[in-house]
Amino acid sequence: MGLALSACTPAEVPVAVRIANAAPAVSVTARGETTPVGTTNADAADDPAIWRNASDPAASLIVGTDKKAGVYVYGLDGKVRDFSDAGRVNNVDLRDQVVINGAPGILVAASDRNDLARAKLALFRLDPATAKLTPLGTIDAGVGEAYGVCFYRDATALYAFMVVKDGTINQVAIDASGTVPTGKIVRSLKLATQSEGCAADERTGRLYVAEEDVGLWRFDAAVTGSTTPVKIAAADNRNIVADAEGVAIAPVGEKDGYVIVSSQGDNAYVLYRLSDDSYVGRFRIVDGAIGGSEETDGIDLMLGDFGPAYPGGLFIAQDGHNAAAAQNFKLVAWGDIEKALGLQ
């Protein structure tokens, strides 16, 4: 069996075999899900981002991409609140309290791959009252096909890390304060092969990136920082079963917490401790009152009050096999994940 499996790529090995060979994973169930994306019979839903309404948690919003068509906005009830026909956009992230055209607001960035030879950032303003997206235009983010994107904000500027399909990571300084947003590539990082998911920890100034067939890395996110990556974990088909995909962060205290990566090959999610990169555990989203999730691409996580349905915070995972329907996103209470992994 070992010789047979070694000759196969992860995708060629049956899922049941991948799960059997992987490290144990605890089970949780989703408490909610979004309406399926509009593109049917295709790998379409890809990446979510969460905006938490601090004054009214029930009015929080989810932004998610249909990478064949555009960007959706959902309520916590999973219903579609808006759709922007942006074409081929892959990953998405957002930041609140960004100066947009002279006033603070919620800035959304999606990795725009409409031109496969030239990566761009598609920018939008999200109105929290109406849940509507207003397109602000695109800015250049380097040569190659746009894949992953995540925001990072330091004391002086807002940046977007654009992960190009070949493993190049361009750090783009963004200024949305004028009539038309502008951007400038201020630094480039590099991983050797195809990469996508990323997340930045603004407390510690670290960037986390998933290299799909290789594993999880971290970089110094500061513009003047080292460009040398540090490997946190390998896609060893034990803890991370390739592909390593979406990345999210659960901050705890001033410097600790967890980085989570989607272990796409065996339908699981893996936690590593931020303070020392140590392995913490694995979980899966299994069938319950709502279906589970499989072959997840993008994930997002935000701690805090999202109302009684989501104690501890909200974890969202793209579901690559949503029964007979088109792909969608599954919503899980962070408190349920903590309890299952014994983190509480």
Side-chain angles (χ1 to χ4, degrees), residues 84 98-101 106-108 121-126 133-139 176 178-182:
S84 180
V98 176
V99 178
I100 306 171
N101 196 15
I106 305 166
L107 184 67
V108 175
L121 288 163
L123 300 178
F124 309 82
R125 179 201 290 269
L126 174 61
L133 289 168
T134 300
L136 301 173
T138 61
I139 59 178
T179 304
V180 178
T182 60

Side-chain angles (χ1 to χ4, degrees), residues 130-157:
T130 65
K132 301 298 183 184
L133 289 168
T134 300
L136 301 173
T138 61
I139 59 178
D140 186 77
V143 175
E145 184 177 350
Y147 245 46
V149 68
C150 53
F151 276 127
Y152 170 68
R153 182 162 41 190
D154 64 16
T156 61

Side-chain angles (χ1 to χ4, degrees), residues 211-217 230-244 261 263 270 272 277 279 282:
E211 187 177 4
E212 295 188 359
D213 290 335
V214 178
L216 181 65
W217 301 84
V230 175
K231 196 171 195 176
I232 295 175
D236 57 2
N237 293 328
R238 174 94 179 138
N239 291 339
I240 299 176
V241 180
D243 291 346
V261 60
S263 174
V270 193
Y272 297 90
D277 300 336
Y279 170 79
R282 292 162 34 92

